[in-house]
Structures are given as C-alpha cells and as structure tokens.
Amino acid sequence: MMGNIKIGGPMNEIEIILEDDGERGIDRPETAEQDNLVQALRRLATRAMGLTGADIERIVREARLKARREKRRLTYADVEAGIRGHRPPVPYDVRWRFAIHESGHAVVHHALRLGSIKGLTIDAKDGGHNAVTFATNAPDTEAWYERLLAMLMAGRAAELIVLKTVSGGSGGAEESDLARATRIALDMEQSLGFGGRHPLLYLEHKNPTTSLSRDAELAGRVHRRLEFAQARATEVIIENRQAFDRLVRALFDAQALDGQAVMDILVAET
C-alpha cells in the first residue's frame, strides 16, 4: 500500500526527539561513530513510518520504563522493539509480496522523476508502507497526473510481473492505492479539465463510488486511465528490472530502508 502521500498539500512529517529525563539520551553501540549514529536514527525513523506523534511518545515512554526496570539505559533496540510491538514475524511469502509491491512503487516514483523517496518498510502495523515526496515545481498537467497514476498502480503491476497474481493490498480502504488512483482519475475526467467528454465542465463529486456507479460511460473512461497507468508502470519496472530486483532483495532482508539506502540501490551501476 502507498503511505504518507497527500495530493495537493505538503507531506505530514514527524520529527522524532528521544529524551531520557536528563540522562543524556540513548546509549550508543560501543563501536558506533557518527555515521553509525545517523544510520541508526534513520532506521528508527523509517521503522516509525505511519505512526503518529502520540504513538512515538508512548513507545519511547514504555521503552524507557522497561529499561529502568532492568536497571540499564535505553537503547536503540528498545525503541525499535517498541515500534514493532508484539507482532509476530511476517510470513515468508507475505514478506516477499510486500517487498515486491513497495519496490514497484519506489522504482516508478524514481524513474518518472516525481520527487524524493524518504523510506520504505514492509514491517509496519498495517503491512507495507512508504514515504515519498513530490516535486513542487512540476507543471500541473495531464501528463504529470498520468505519471502519478502510474506510480500508484506500480505496486499491483510489480506483483503481476513477479508473482503473476495480485493481492488485495492495493485496495480495500479509502487511502489504498486503488482508491487514490480512482479519485485522481475521476478528477481528471470531471474537474481538472482533462476529460474525454465535456472537458470544460467542472463537475463536483463528493462520493466517487456514487458517481461511477451511476454513470457506466464515465466509469469506463476512468477505468481506461487506470489500465493505461498500470501498463505504463509495468513498462517502467521492466525497463529498470535490475534495480527493481536489487531493491526487492534488500528490502526483504532489511525490512526497512531509509531514503538514502533506497537511492543507493536504485542508482547503483550494474
């Protein structure tokens, strides 16, 4: 599933500050230097994608109490374990599908130059999750929206390429890939001036389901846009198959990758 995307507005970002009531922070690993510290903080931030500020505060508080009961200082591992909660490990085959799905989004987002990638995880509470940003200087054209649709359909496209089947992970909720893509494609047809029929009309639609259910011809035009977007995502992933495969393997192994780690994989020479 896509995560941390807000079309038409700024990204919601959480600044994580770990405090320890005057104890000068968290113990660093004995051999850690500055680069290791930065990597550890990036890993924690990536693990925390999708959580609210209140969630982070609760997790740190509980981890601190646990460390105090055990008469030791708070460690990175304590916070990371708190972020995971008490969830069992993700099954092997599901973990692969999550890695394939999220890597598809990342590869297409990067290849189509939509913006930067902040991180990927396949170990969030609700499964796979990613954080991406969008270039603010991009022209607000039909072509840009088509690129955006391709990125939203890329998780499903990646599953089809590798596994030959799709899961329900692209849909099922108001903020799912399919829901977002459907709303954008409907906006293109009815309110953004890109429609195949009466493009100059602005037709407000508060409920996409109602609009599409009542107008079969409109539903057909919206669905064709989604089909085109999925086909384009498929082409992009195939064109960048080596980078995609590297990212899938790395994400499967690490379960969480910060933006710099993702970019290192995507731009690595073969």
Side-chain angles (χ1 to χ4, degrees):
M1 294 178 63
M2 292 297 302
N4 281 9
I5 298 177
K6 185 177 181 181
I7 305 304
M11 293 285 293
N12 291 324
E13 296 183 346
I14 300 172
E15 182 181 3
I16 304 174
I17 302 175
L18 303 179
E19 299 178 332
D20 200 19
D21 290 345
E23 293 182 4
R24 307 299 298 172
I26 300 175
D27 270 355
R28 302 181 186 182
E30 292 181 4
T31 60
E33 296 189 14
Q34 188 63 29
D35 57 342
N36 291 331
L37 171 61
V38 171
Q39 290 176 10
L41 290 174
R42 283 177 175 169
R43 180 178 176 85
L44 287 179
T46 304
R47 284 283 196 182
M49 287 192 306
L51 299 178
T52 66
D55 291 333
I56 299 298
E57 183 179 3
R58 174 184 53 79
I59 289 167
V60 174
R61 183 172 60 251
E62 291 175 353
R64 184 188 298 129
L65 290 173
K66 180 177 183 295
R68 284 176 176 170
R69 285 196 299 268
E70 297 175 2
K71 298 182 179 180
R72 58 179 178 78
R73 299 189 70 190
L74 184 65
T75 67
Y76 293 109
D78 293 326
V79 180
E80 188 166 357
I83 291 171
R84 285 210 76 253
H86 302 286
R87 300 191 308 276
V90 178
Y92 185 88
D93 57 337
V94 176
R95 187 168 155 190
W96 269 118
R97 187 177 289 275
F98 285 169
I100 290 165
H101 186 105
E102 300 305 332
S103 295
H105 285 306
V107 166
V108 174
H109 188 86
H110 174 67
L112 296 184
R113 300 182 179 181
L114 286 167
S116 64
I117 299 170
K118 297 299 184 183
L120 305 175
T121 180
I122 56 173
D123 193 33
K125 183 171 60 175
D126 54 353
H129 195 86
N130 66 71
V132 298
T133 64
F134 295 91
T136 57
N137 59 350
D140 193 21
T141 62
E142 184 175 13
W144 187 89
Y145 282 99
E146 288 174 345
R147 287 156 56 202
L148 176 58
L149 286 179
M151 185 273 293
L152 287 169
M153 299 300 293
R156 181 182 175 94
E159 291 185 41
L160 282 171
I161 290 171
V162 179
L163 303 173
K164 311 305 179 186
T165 62
V166 295
S167 66
S170 293
E174 281 294 310
E175 294 305 311
S176 66
D177 301 339
L178 291 182
R180 286 172 168 162
T182 298
R183 287 195 296 268
I184 292 169
L186 182 57
D187 285 342
M188 293 172 73
E189 286 293 328
Q190 294 211 130
S191 62
L192 291 173
F194 307 134
R197 181 184 179 189
H198 305 314
L200 301 184
L201 294 180
Y202 173 83
L203 302 173
E204 184 180 15
H205 54 87
K206 295 182 179 179
N207 189 331
T209 299
T210 300
S211 299
L212 295 173
S213 297
R214 292 177 177 175
D215 190 336
E217 196 271 337
L218 173 62
R221 297 202 309 273
V222 169
H223 193 264
R224 282 192 293 274
R225 286 189 181 275
L226 300 181
E227 287 181 320
F228 177 81
Q230 182 170 295
R232 185 175 186 183
T234 300
E235 292 177 359
V236 171
I237 293 170
I238 291 174
E239 289 171 359
N240 296 273
R241 185 60 189 266
Q242 289 184 323
F244 169 75
D245 287 343
R246 289 196 301 269
L247 184 57
V248 170
R249 165 48 71 181
L251 184 56
F252 176 85
D253 289 341
Q255 300 186 64
L257 296 171
D258 63 58
Q260 186 58 58
V262 173
M263 290 306 301
D264 288 345
I265 293 167
L266 292 180
V267 303
E269 295 183 3
T270 57

